[in-house]
C-alpha cells in the first residue's frame, strides 16, 4: 500500500490479441498514472494488440520514482501490434520506466508497425538526478518497422543510465525506424552525463545486423536533433548494417553544442 515494496504479481498489465484496442493504461491528467512494479515478468505486455496507450506511469520504481522496484523482465514489452503509444502530452503523459530487469521498453516483430515512444524518462529517477538503470537497454527494437522514438525540443525523450545501450535497433525486418529529439546519456537538462554503460560494440545508439536498413537517427532540422553524449561506449555504433542515416545530431556535447560531454568508448 505504500508503493515502496515488492509484492509482485506473476504478470503485470496484459493487453492480448487484436481484440484489445483503444485502452489506456494510466493517463495524461494529474494523478492518473499507475505504479506498475515488482511483477515477476513484464510490467506491461502488449501482445499483438494495436491502438493502445501507456501514459503517466511509474514502471519499475517506487511511488516516488526515487528507487528501483524491478519488474523482472521488461518495463513495457510490445510484441506485434501497431500504433501503440508509450507516453503522451505534457504535463503528465510521460512515463518513468526505470529499474527493470531487462529492457525499459522492448518492441519486437515484423508485425509491430508504427508504434510510438514519446516523451518518457528511461533509466533515471523521476527528477533526473541519478541513474535507476534498466538491466539491459533503455529501448530495444528487434525487427519492428516504422517505430517513432523521440520527444520535442521542449520536452525530449531521455534514455540514460541503463546497463546496456540507450537505444538498440536490430533484426532483419527493422526498417524505417526513427529516433529524434532525444537525450541519450544525459540528464533532462541536457548538460550533465548520466551514462548508458554498454561497452564494446554497445553505446548510446546502436544499429546492428545484416538486413537492418533505412533507419534514421536525427534529422535535417534543429527540432529533430538528438544529443548523444556522456555514454560509456561509443556515441553511435553501426555494426554490419547498410543504408542508415545519422544526421543533424550533437554527439559528445551538451544540448547547446557548446561544452564537451564526451562519449568514452
Amino acid at each position: 500500500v505504500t508503493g515502496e515494496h515488492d509484492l509482485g504479481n506473476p504478470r503485470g498489465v496484459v493487453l492480448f490479441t487484436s481484440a484489445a484496442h483503444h485502452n489506456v493504461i494510466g493517463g495524461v491528467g494529474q494523478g492518473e498514472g499507475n505504479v506498475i512494479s515488482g511483477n515477476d515478468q513484464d510490467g506491461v505486455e502488449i501482445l499483438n494488440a494495436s491502438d493502445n496507450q501507456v501514459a503517466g506511469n511509474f514502471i519499475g520504481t517506487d511511488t516516488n520514482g526515487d528507487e528501483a522496484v524491478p519488474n523482472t523482465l521488461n518495463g513495457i514489452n510490445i510484441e506485434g501490434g501497431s500504433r501503440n503509444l508509450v507516453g503522451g502530452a505534457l504535463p503528465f503523459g510521460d512515463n518513468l520506466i526505470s529499474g527493470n530487469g531487462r529492457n525499459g521498453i522492448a518492441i519486437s516483430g515484423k508485425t509491430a508497425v508504427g508504434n510510438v515512444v514519446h516523451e518518457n524518462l528511461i533509466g533515471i529517477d523521476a527528477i533526473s538526478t541519478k541513474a535507476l538503470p534498466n538491466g539491459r537497454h533503455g529501448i530495444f527494437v528487434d525487427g519492428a518497422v516504422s517505430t517513432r522514438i523521440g520527444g520535442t525540443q521542449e520536452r525530449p525523450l531521455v534514455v540514460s543510465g541503463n546497463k546496456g545501450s540507450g537505444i538498440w535497433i536490430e533484426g532483419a525486418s527493422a526498417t524505417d525506424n526513427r529516433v529524434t529529439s532525444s537525450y541519450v546519456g544525459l540528464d533532462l537538462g541536457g548538460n550533465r552525463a548520466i551514462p548508458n554503460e554498454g561497452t564494446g560494440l554497445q553505446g548510446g545508439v546502436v544499429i546492428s545486423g545484416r538486413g537492418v536498413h533505412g533507419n534514421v537517427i536525427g534529422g535535417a532540422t534543429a527540432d529533430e536533433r538528438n544529443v548523444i553524449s556522456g555514454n560509456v561506449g561509443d556515441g553511435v555504433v553501426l555494426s554490419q548494417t547498410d543504408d542508415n542515416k545519422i544526421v543533424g545530431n550533437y554527439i559528445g556535447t551538451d544540448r547547446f553544442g557548446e561544452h564537451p560531454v564526451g562519449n568514452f568508448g
Side-chain angles (χ1 to χ4, degrees):
V1 69
T2 66
E4 297 180 359
H5 302 290
D6 183 349
L7 299 176
N9 302 291
R11 301 175 81 168
V13 178
V14 183
L15 302 178
F16 181 68
T17 80
S18 58
H21 62 89
H22 294 95
N23 301 286
V24 179
I25 309 303
V28 299
Q30 186 173 13
E32 292 182 342
N34 306 288
V35 180
I36 305 172
S37 301
N39 300 289
D40 297 340
Q41 295 189 41
D42 301 308
V44 177
E45 297 177 76
I46 299 176
L47 308 177
N48 299 307
S50 299
D51 299 299
N52 301 286
Q53 183 178 16
V54 183
N57 305 288
F58 285 4
I59 301 175
T61 76
D62 65 3
T63 191
N64 297 312
D66 183 59
E67 298 295 337
V69 184
N71 296 293
T72 301
L73 301 182
N74 305 291
I76 299 175
N77 183 28
I78 300 173
E79 295 184 23
S82 300
R83 302 176 304 279
N84 296 291
L85 172 59
V86 178
L90 285 174
F92 304 109
D94 52 333
N95 300 284
L96 175 67
I97 307 169
S98 300
N100 298 287
R102 289 189 181 174
N103 306 291
I105 301 173
I107 304 173
S108 61
K110 63 183 180 181
T111 60
V113 179
N115 294 290
V116 176
V117 179
H118 187 67
E119 292 184 3
N120 302 282
L121 303 178
I122 302 174
I124 61 176
D125 69 331
I127 58 174
S128 182
T129 60
K130 64 181 180 181
L132 288 184
N134 295 294
R136 295 184 181 175
H137 309 305
I139 301 174
F140 178 56
V141 177
D142 182 5
V145 178
S146 299
T147 311
R148 296 294 179 260
I149 297 170
T152 66
Q153 289 300 307
E154 292 76 22
R155 181 69 174 188
L157 172 73
V158 179
V159 190
S160 303
N162 298 286
K163 291 293 186 183
S165 296
I167 299 170
W168 185 290
I169 299 172
E170 68 171 36
S173 58
T175 185
D176 189 38
N177 299 290
R178 188 158 191 174
V179 180
T180 60
S181 302
S182 297
Y183 294 169
V184 183
L186 297 171
D187 66 354
L188 182 58
N191 299 306
R192 183 175 61 88
I194 304 181
N196 294 295
E197 298 182 1
T199 58
L201 287 179
Q202 299 188 38
V205 178
V206 177
I207 302 175
S208 177
R210 293 181 175 86
V212 181
H213 68 281
N215 302 286
V216 180
I217 309 302
T221 70
D223 288 340
E224 297 171 314
R225 176 189 301 134
N226 302 293
V227 186
I228 305 170
S229 303
N231 299 287
V232 172
D234 299 308
V236 178
V237 177
L238 302 178
S239 176
Q240 298 183 329
T241 182
D242 300 301
D243 299 317
N244 301 283
K245 292 182 179 180
I246 314 298
V247 58
N249 305 286
Y250 287 174
I251 301 175
T253 76
D254 66 0
R255 67 187 178 102
F256 299 109
E258 295 176 349
H259 301 288
V261 189
N263 300 289
F264 42 105

